[in-house]
Amino acid sequence: MEHVPPPAEELARLDRELAELDARRAQLLTRRAWLLAALRPPAPTAAPGWNPSAWGAPAPGRPGAPAQPWGYVPPKRPSAPRSAQNVLLTLGGLLLTVAAVAFTLVSWGSMGIGGRSAVLALVTVGALAAPAVLLRRGLTATAEALAALALVLTLLDAYAVHAVAAPDTDGLGFTAVAAAVLAALWTAYGLALGKLHLPLPAAVVLAQWPLLFGAWAAGAPALVVGWALLATAVLDGAIALWGKGTGARVTACVGGSVMAFSALMVGLTLSVTASGPLGALAPGALLLTAAVAALAGAWRAPRGFARAGGVVAGLAAVAAVGGVPAAAVPEDWGVLAYLSAGLALTAVVRTRLPRNAVIGVLVASAAVVAGALAGALPGLAAVLLGPVTLLSDVWAGSPGGFRSALDPTLPWTGLAAAPVVLAVSAGLLGAAYRWWPSLARIAGPLIAREEPGSGGGPEGTPEAGGAAAPGATGAPHGTGAPWYAGGRAGTPWYAGGASAARRRPSGAALRGAAGAGAAVLGWGALLLAGAVLDVPYAVAVAGETALVAGLLALAVRGTGSGREGSAAVPVTALVAALAGAVSAGLLSLAAEGASYAVFGALAALFAGAAVRAGAGVERAVFAVAATVGCTVLTGFAGRSLGLAPHEAAPLMLLVPALTVLFGARLRRNPVALPVELTGALGALVAVGLAVPDAPFLALVLALCGVLAAGAAVRPERRPVAAYLAAALFVLATWVRLAASEVSFPEAYTLPVTVPALVVGFLRRRKDPEASSWTAYGPGLAATLLPSLAVAWTDPDWQRPLLLGVSALAITLLGARYRLQALLLLGGAVLALDGLHELAPYVVQVAGALPRWLPPALAGLLLLVVGATYEQRLRDARRLKDALGRMR
């Protein structure tokens, strides 16, 4: 009986078969097209004047042409071959030039003044006239070459006029006049023959020298030379903005930059070296004029050049305005004059200057403030890091003043203004943090200001000066304050969309950065003020500790505020508090009483901050710092009691013991683990102190084992602490046996090993899934490892033999019952014991073998392993899996 599927199922089957046929047909068509392309002969080279429309398809870019993808670059048409006429004209011009030069070099001396002038003038006029004829015939390249020759000839004409007609004229003065005349001549020539690219840039180059050489020729002072350089730079700026041709504008931009920089350097040098305020006025006028010129150029310059002009204008204004009062005060305080001028530049936000120029001026203001702050960094670093030298002589006695504990070679008298700079900067940043909404309202019009013709944005946007896009009403879309006011919701239309908003820092982040900077700079100002004033040592120690307390209060208050964007201030205060605590602690090491007072106060402050702070990383950092302070106090106690370092080691375990109890009290609190780890580091320090004395080392290891066992009582610490406790107990036993010079450790270890193995066997019977490392590992290690250590120094054969037999038996038992601990421990001890027995023979054989044989064998082994790498890898995986299945 034939089965007939339902119509729906049959329709689905037909659709699948048709889809498969379509896919196969598309595949075959693709292959057919490839084969046709492979068999088709290469297309002949198109002749000049070939038109794609002759093939029935419109040329790209014409009406009706298919749309090309974005970024499509149409192929260049092959250029027409150079005609015979062009070749002849080019060769003729070159031969004429060579002939003229040869004639000038060979026959020049036999001619009189008139003949020389006539020949040179004739050649020059011919070189100047030839490009015009060549341009009309379309020979642009030949015209450019002859124009270059004409430029050289005009220079030779000027030299000839000076050498023949006016030999007694001053060289610099004549050069200035000649450069001006040639610049005007080549400017007119370039404008007349607009298709030539060389004359106008050459004229710009020549225009750089008339004023400079004229000032030098007249013996003008440096200030006049600066004015000449500035006037040349202004001329270059005008050419760069309004000149004709890209080459001339680029050349003018480069020349103007060099001349402006030179003028500014001249003005700055004269301003800094002025003998008084009156002497600084004239260089200041030069610098102010340069600033005005830079701002004037910023009105029409593109965005990047406008910002650069704003930076130059701001720096020049600061040098001009600040140089006058700086010349009236001592050298060390002159930085305040420049800082005040730099801060005054921020008033530019209320002016109607272009946005990019204002941004450049603000960048200059920030650069001035940053430079002033950089001058205070050496003193601040000396205050923070200088007490490190006290580590070499702890408790040597209280120094007389603050500077005595720091770097005495630093010129502290030259840093008198540094605390004031830090304090002023901190005050301004603090004011900005406090009144940020008002500041944002002031800066808002700057951000939203339109810049017609500035090139700051695409066509049709307010930044480009075009019409606003539809929907751009000058207010942010959505709700909420704009980014500069610290709001979250809403994106201003001038922010450039979501991507620009992601790149731009939020107002909350900027406000937080201002608050963080105020905190750090204020703290640094107070520290540096104490060093500059050289306050007494006790006042310095108390002041640094009080500053740490203030920073901790700021950090705790910030962590509990919960305001968005306020994380920068507490985090910065926390970092500064830690740095200040280290500096204060180092500074207190000069006197015993100061050390106890400072570290006790720091431990109490950090502990109180840990209690008051909210849960998080900050609270853990506070708790860890308090633990470190308490650990240092226990070390001080040992030193005060006159104990040797190894004798004070057990006393150092007091804080680790307290951290174990503290962890048991907190249990799963996030602070518990960092505190316990810090206590463990203190225990490690105690072990390091006890290393020189073996009995004390054994005692300290045993006490550490007790602490680890106490931590292992808690289930969350048991997986790590239990193994650590067992290892510490075993290690303490070995150290104690070695310290007692016991030659038969088995007499002490076997009484421990046997009960331990019995306990492990009983546990395995009760819990077959228990690990063999937990059941048998400590008991076996207690005997095998000390015996192995003694066997390596035993000259007799009995102990190595008995140890090898025992290790072999343990290894076989581990393999038989699939116990990982027995297999690995027994195998490792057996291998090391066998190596000890074979070592003398290996040394003898190695001495008898040629020197080249061991490297050769090693290389052969590596080749074999590399050739069978995959197989060895599979073997290693199988071995790993087999060991992993063991208990």
Side-chain angles (χ1 to χ4, degrees):
M1 182 176 179
E2 184 179 358
H3 173 70
V4 179
E9 182 180 349
E10 185 177 2
L11 179 61
R13 183 185 303 171
L14 291 176
D15 289 339
R16 286 195 299 269
E17 293 178 358
L18 289 173
E20 294 175 357
L21 290 174
D22 291 339
R24 179 59 178 167
R25 184 175 184 276
Q27 182 181 2
L28 293 175
L29 289 174
T30 304
R31 180 63 178 175
R32 180 179 181 274
W34 184 86
L35 292 174
L36 290 175
L39 295 174
R40 183 180 299 122
T45 305
W50 174 79
N51 189 359
S53 60
W55 294 84
R62 296 183 179 180
Q68 300 296 341
W70 182 85
Y72 170 79
V73 179
K76 296 182 178 179
R77 295 186 180 182
S79 58
R82 186 179 298 273
S83 64
Q85 182 182 11
N86 292 343
V87 175
L88 292 176
L89 287 175
T90 303
L91 292 176
L94 291 177
L95 290 175
L96 179 62
T97 303
V98 171
V101 172
F103 176 80
T104 303
L105 294 176
V106 175
S107 304
W108 186 263
S110 62
M111 302 177 63
I113 296 177
R116 297 175 185 178
S117 302
V119 170
L120 190 59
L122 180 63
V123 174
T124 303
V125 171
L128 289 174
V133 178
L134 294 173
L135 286 176
R136 284 197 297 271
R137 292 181 170 271
L139 303 176
T140 306
T142 307
E144 290 284 358
L146 289 180
L149 175 63
L151 172 62
V152 176
L153 291 176
T154 54
L155 295 176
L156 293 176
D157 287 337
Y159 173 75
V161 169
H162 178 263
V164 176
D168 299 330
T169 308
D170 179 62
L172 284 176
F174 184 84
T175 303
V177 174
V181 173
L182 290 177
L185 172 64
W186 278 92
T187 301
Y189 188 73
L191 293 176
L193 302 179
K195 293 183 180 181
L196 293 178
H197 300 290
L198 184 62
L200 290 179
V204 174
V205 173
L206 290 174
Q208 308 301 309
W209 311 113
L211 294 179
L212 179 61
F213 286 165
W216 281 352
L223 184 62
V224 177
V225 174
W227 281 105
L229 291 170
L230 180 59
T232 305
V234 171
L235 176 63
D236 289 331
I239 296 173
L241 289 176
W242 295 289
K244 180 181 179 182
T246 304
R249 300 176 69 176
V250 171
T251 306
C253 185
V254 175
S257 300
V258 175
M259 292 297 174
F261 178 78
S262 303
L264 291 175
M265 289 299 101
V266 171
L268 180 62
T269 303
L270 295 176
S271 177
V272 172
T273 58
S275 58
L278 294 179
L281 288 176
L286 173 64
L287 294 170
L288 277 180
T289 305
V292 173
L295 286 181
W299 280 94
R300 290 186 57 85
R303 179 173 60 182
F305 290 97
R307 293 185 180 182
V311 172
V312 172
L315 294 177
V318 169
V321 177
V324 176
V329 298
E331 182 180 357
D332 301 335
W333 293 90
V335 64
L336 293 179
Y338 293 107
L339 178 63
S340 302
L343 293 175
L345 290 180
T346 56
V348 75
V349 299
R350 305 305 296 267
T351 64
R352 299 189 60 82
L353 288 174
R355 175 176 176 270
N356 290 313
V358 172
I359 291 175
V361 174
L362 293 179
V363 170
S365 175
V368 172
V369 176
L373 293 177
L377 290 181
L380 185 58
V383 173
L384 291 176
L385 303 178
V388 174
T389 56
L390 298 176
L391 288 173
S392 59
D393 196 6
V394 179
W395 295 355
S398 301
F402 194 4
R403 295 183 194 171
S404 302
L406 305 176
D407 186 5
T409 62
L410 197 68
W412 293 103
T413 55
L415 296 173
V420 182
V421 171
L422 295 176
V424 170
S425 303
L428 292 174
L429 289 176
Y433 178 78
R434 174 64 179 83
W435 291 288
W436 182 261
S438 301
L439 183 64
R441 284 194 297 271
I442 295 175
L446 167 66
I447 301 169
R449 183 178 302 165
E450 297 182 4
E451 292 186 77
S454 66
E459 196 72 28
T461 62
E463 282 191 346
T473 60
H477 293 295
T479 59
W483 66 270
Y484 53 80
R488 297 182 59 191
T491 301
W493 56 267
Y494 48 81
S499 60
R502 284 193 298 268
R503 294 191 301 267
R504 182 168 291 163
S506 65
L510 294 175
R511 183 180 187 183
V520 172
L521 294 179
W523 168 62
L526 293 175
L527 284 179
L528 196 53
V532 170
L533 297 175
D534 197 17
V535 298
Y537 173 75
V539 176
V541 172
E544 286 206 26
T545 309
L547 287 177
V548 173
L551 290 171
L552 287 177
L554 183 61
V556 171
R557 180 183 178 185
T559 55
S561 64
R563 294 181 299 173
E564 182 189 1
S566 61
V569 176
V571 170
T572 305
L574 173 58
V575 174
L578 293 174
V582 173
S583 178
L586 293 174
L587 186 64
S588 68
L589 295 179
E592 181 178 3
S595 299
Y596 278 106
V598 170
F599 278 94
L602 291 177
L605 288 173
F606 279 103
V611 173
R612 294 294 303 274
V617 178
E618 295 85 357
R619 188 174 187 181
V621 172
F622 293 144
V624 167
T627 305
V628 172
C630 294
T631 304
V632 175
L633 286 175
T634 57
F636 288 161
R639 184 180 178 89
S640 298
L641 295 175
L643 301 177
H646 64 274
E647 294 174 340
L651 186 62
M652 293 284 293
L653 295 177
L654 178 61
V655 174
L658 294 177
T659 58
V660 172
L661 297 176
F662 186 72
R665 175 69 176 84
L666 293 179
R667 298 189 69 81
R668 297 187 181 276
N669 192 293
V671 180
L673 181 59
V675 171
E676 291 182 81
L677 291 177
T678 307
L681 290 178
L684 187 61
V685 173
V687 172
L689 293 176
V691 166
D693 190 273
F696 271 92
L697 178 60
L699 175 61
V700 172
L701 289 173
L703 293 176
C704 291
V706 173
L707 296 179
V713 174
R714 297 158 52 196
E716 65 273 12
R717 301 286 184 262
R718 188 172 300 155
V720 176
Y723 290 108
L724 181 61
L728 288 172
F729 283 133
V730 173
L731 187 58
T733 303
W734 297 343
V735 173
R736 181 68 260 183
L737 294 176
S740 302
E741 298 182 355
V742 174
S743 58
F744 293 97
E746 293 82 3
Y748 298 91
T749 58
L750 283 176
V752 177
T753 295
V754 173
L757 293 177
V758 171
V759 172
F761 177 75
L762 295 177
R763 181 178 179 183
R764 287 275 299 173
R765 289 188 61 183
K766 184 179 179 180
D767 182 13
E769 297 298 326
S771 172
S772 60
W773 289 101
T774 305
Y776 304 118
L780 292 174
T783 296
L784 289 178
L785 298 182
S787 299
L788 179 63
V790 177
W792 268 80
T793 59
D794 193 348
D796 297 328
W797 58 271
Q798 293 88 352
R799 183 188 303 276
L801 177 60
L802 294 175
L803 180 61
V805 172
S806 302
L808 178 60
I810 292 172
T811 304
L812 294 176
L813 288 173
R816 170 66 179 81
Y817 294 102
R818 307 181 63 81
L819 298 176
Q820 191 180 98
L822 275 67
L823 179 63
L824 294 182
L825 274 176
V829 172
L830 180 61
L832 292 175
D833 186 63
L835 179 63
H836 169 263
E837 294 303 311
L838 294 176
Y841 304 102
V842 173
V843 171
Q844 292 178 5
V845 172
L849 292 176
R851 295 294 179 91
W852 57 267
L853 189 57
L857 294 176
L860 181 61
L861 177 62
L862 291 177
L863 288 176
V864 172
V865 172
T868 60
Y869 175 75
E870 294 295 335
Q871 181 62 35
R872 301 287 78 79
L873 190 61
R874 287 192 293 269
D875 294 341
R877 288 172 180 170
R878 283 197 295 269
L879 178 60
K880 177 186 175 183
D881 295 338
L883 289 175
R885 288 192 295 269
M886 293 183 179
R887 299 303 302 170

